[in-house]
Each structure stands twice: as C-alpha cells, then as structure tokens.
Amino acid sequence: MSALQNYGGTHRVTVVGMTPAILQRIALVTILTTASAQQFPPLDQANPPLSRTLSTLRFCMTARKNIPRNSAMPLFTFEFAEPGATGKVLIDDKEVQTFKAERHLKIKADVAAGNHRFDFILDRPALNTLMSSHDDFKYCQG
C-alpha cells in the first residue's frame, strides 16, 4: 500500500509497511535483474559501444539476403585495444578467416540468406572496444 503526499508542488510516495532496508533490497534486485537481462552480444547495440574483454563469441545471425565476400560492408568489424587479437572466425563450423595481432578486424565471407552460427575464437582474451555488423544481418535464436 502506498500514499501520495503533496509537499508544496513536489510529491512524495510513502510505502506503508516496508522498511527502508526492504525497499533498498527491492531496488537492488530490480537493477541487477535488468542488468543481467541484457541480450549478448550487445556491443554493436549500445550507444556508445561498450568495451569488454572477449575470448570467444558464439551466436546466431540471420542474413536477410545473400552477402558476397566482396560486399562494401564487412559482415563484422571488431576494434581491439593494444596488442590486438589473434584467432579465427567460423561460420557454420567452417573457418572463414584467421588473424594475428589485429586491432582493426574486418570479417568478410560469402553468406547465403538465412540463419548462420557465428563462432569468434581468440587464442587469448583481448579488449574489444567496438563491434558492428552488416546492415543485412540480425541476431536470431538458435
């Protein structure tokens, strides 16, 4: 139960029967639940982009149409802090690219329309400062 009180143009909500400690716990649970509900990978969805340490990414992507290797826009672009990243990229369990100490990584491959599994595997963790994807790609469940 709550009561709304007017104090000279400002409003104050008083929750009857709940101590400040209980209210703080409810607020903390709400914040933690909201933070953990974020769908991964959100790197290209955040504005400004989030930085995080990566070692492996695995997710499903849907190509809305066929995307050729020579497309002007890469499938994915990753930016890494020094010393860069070393690893490989697989699409549908097929290795499409390897890279070594790369700071500005552009991933290009022939991709048919439909759902694809994307695996980004690093030899050791690296700080990723930006990730973006092709306009004709979207995240899918799978």
Side-chain angles (χ1 to χ4, degrees):
M1 181 201 285
S2 66
L4 181 63
Q5 300 171 350
N6 189 345
Y7 290 97
T10 61
H11 299 283
R12 185 175 113 185
V13 175
T14 305
V15 179
V16 179
M18 290 195 178
T19 67
I22 291 173
L23 292 173
Q24 287 174 345
R25 288 188 183 119
I26 291 171
L28 180 61
V29 167
T30 302
I31 290 168
L32 291 175
T33 303
T34 303
S36 67
Q38 195 174 23
Q39 182 179 353
F40 187 78
L43 296 174
D44 60 336
Q45 298 170 357
N47 189 9
L50 304 172
S51 295
R52 66 176 57 170
T53 300
L54 300 179
S55 57
T56 301
L57 287 176
R58 289 188 169 97
F59 50 90
C60 177
M61 295 295 293
T62 299
R64 294 185 180 117
K65 64 180 186 177
N66 293 343
I67 303 172
R69 178 181 293 278
N70 63 355
S71 173
M73 180 182 271
L75 298 175
F76 296 97
T77 301
F78 291 89
E79 299 290 331
F80 291 98
E82 284 285 348
T86 300
K88 62 185 174 182
V89 176
L90 290 82
I91 297 177
D92 299 329
D93 296 321
K94 178 183 175 194
E95 188 174 292
V96 296
Q97 190 169 339
T98 59
F99 50 94
K100 184 173 176 128
E102 190 68 51
R103 293 202 51 218
H104 311 286
L105 179 63
K106 293 181 180 183
I107 299 169
K108 292 189 166 208
D110 291 318
V111 176
N115 290 352
H116 300 277
R117 181 184 164 124
F118 179 82
D119 292 297
F120 183 79
I121 304 165
L122 298 180
D123 292 350
R124 62 180 173 276
L127 181 62
N128 178 226
T129 59
L130 174 68
M131 177 188 161
S132 62
S133 62
H134 194 284
D135 290 340
D136 290 318
F137 252 168
K138 66 177 186 171
Y139 299 109
C140 60
Q141 303 297 320

